Amino acid sequence: MARGKIQIKRIENATNRQVTFSKRRNGIFKKAQELTVLCDAKVSIIMCSSTGKVQEYVSSSTTTKQLLDEYQRRLKIDLWSSQYEKMQENLKNLKEVNINLKKEIRQRLGESLNDLSLKKLSDLEQDVDNCLRIIRERKLRAISGQIVTHRKKVRREEEENRKLGNGFIINAKEEDQHSELVDNEGHYDSVIRFQNEGPGIFALRLQPNEALSSQWMSIHE
């Protein structure tokens, strides 16, 4: 049964279009390989799919560049002349831009001003004033940032000093309380010791704020 004739038009479905491209690409590459083997031909095929991928086939006995060079030689044409002219034109424009930029830089440094008209001198002065204003504003922001950072650092150090001071006061109070306990324990031991030395004997030690702070009194019953 004969296959129906396929209407040649763009395939709207993206999936079907990609499948058809892959099948026909493989068929074309197969035919190119057959031409290379059967007819000793030099074949080069370059394809760019709708997805941006480049597909290439070239005979094993040559390269794409060699075929392009041979094409230019036999037809006596230059495929790259137009591209070369465009590159030369772009290079010329870039050189002019570079020269103008260097000249503008020198003028902003106060050099090469003799050829400038009064209007250009006024415009240059205005540009320099605007640049100075922007620089001053940036400088003020930098100074303000440093001041804020310094104030934060000072507050942080003051807070640390305050915490250290509070800790020192607490430690001093604890040491005073401990000293009082040690003194009281010493008095108690003294009383017990003297009491054990003999019957009816008590030993008392006066506190430092009393008149006889370093004397001992013995009371006999």
Side-chain angles (χ1 to χ4, degrees), residues 194-195 197-204 216-221:
F194 276 86
Q195 184 178 4
E197 289 177 356
I201 298 176
F202 297 91
L204 301 176
W216 296 91
M217 294 188 302
S218 298
I219 303 174
H220 300 276
E221 292 182 352

Side-chain angles (χ1 to χ4, degrees), residues 76-137:
K76 297 181 181 180
I77 61 174
D78 187 357
L79 296 175
W80 318 115
S81 59
S82 59
Q83 183 67 22
Y84 179 77
E85 292 175 357
K86 290 181 180 179
M87 292 176 62
Q88 289 294 322
E89 185 67 23
N90 289 335
L91 180 61
K92 181 181 178 181
N93 294 334
L94 290 175
K95 286 183 178 180
E96 291 180 356
V97 171
N98 187 34
I99 292 173
N100 292 332
L101 288 175
K102 288 182 177 180
K103 184 177 180 180
E104 184 177 352
I105 291 174
R106 290 196 302 270
Q107 291 173 351
R108 289 179 179 273
L109 294 176
E111 303 174 0
S112 303
L113 301 178
N114 294 332
D115 297 335
L116 294 181
S117 63
L118 180 61
K119 177 65 168 57
K120 291 183 177 180
L121 287 173
S122 299
D123 294 339
L124 178 61
E125 182 183 11
Q126 183 65 34
D127 291 340
V128 172
D129 290 339
N130 292 335
C131 292
L132 289 174
R133 177 179 55 80
I134 295 173
I135 293 172
R136 292 191 185 99
E137 291 176 354

Side-chain angles (χ1 to χ4, degrees), residues 126-176:
Q126 183 65 34
D127 291 340
V128 172
D129 290 339
N130 292 335
C131 292
L132 289 174
R133 177 179 55 80
I134 295 173
I135 293 172
R136 292 191 185 99
E137 291 176 354
R138 181 65 186 91
K139 180 181 177 181
L140 289 176
R141 288 197 298 270
I143 294 174
S144 300
Q146 291 181 357
I147 292 175
V148 172
T149 302
H150 179 70
R151 287 178 178 175
K152 290 181 180 179
K153 182 178 180 181
V154 171
R155 285 197 296 267
R156 184 167 58 252
E157 292 178 351
E158 290 177 349
E159 181 66 18
E160 292 177 356
N161 292 335
R162 185 182 63 80
K163 291 181 180 179
L164 291 174
N166 293 338
F168 177 78
I169 294 173
I170 293 173
N171 292 334
K173 290 182 179 179
E174 291 178 352
E175 290 179 357
D176 292 341

Side-chain angles (χ1 to χ4, degrees), residues 15-41:
T15 303
N16 295 338
R17 184 167 61 246
Q18 185 61 32
V19 171
T20 303
F21 173 81
S22 299
K23 290 181 179 180
R24 301 211 172 196
R25 175 202 61 200
N26 294 336
I28 292 174
F29 284 174
K30 183 178 180 181
K31 292 296 183 182
Q33 185 179 12
E34 292 175 355
L35 281 173
T36 300
V37 176
L38 296 175
C39 304
D40 194 22

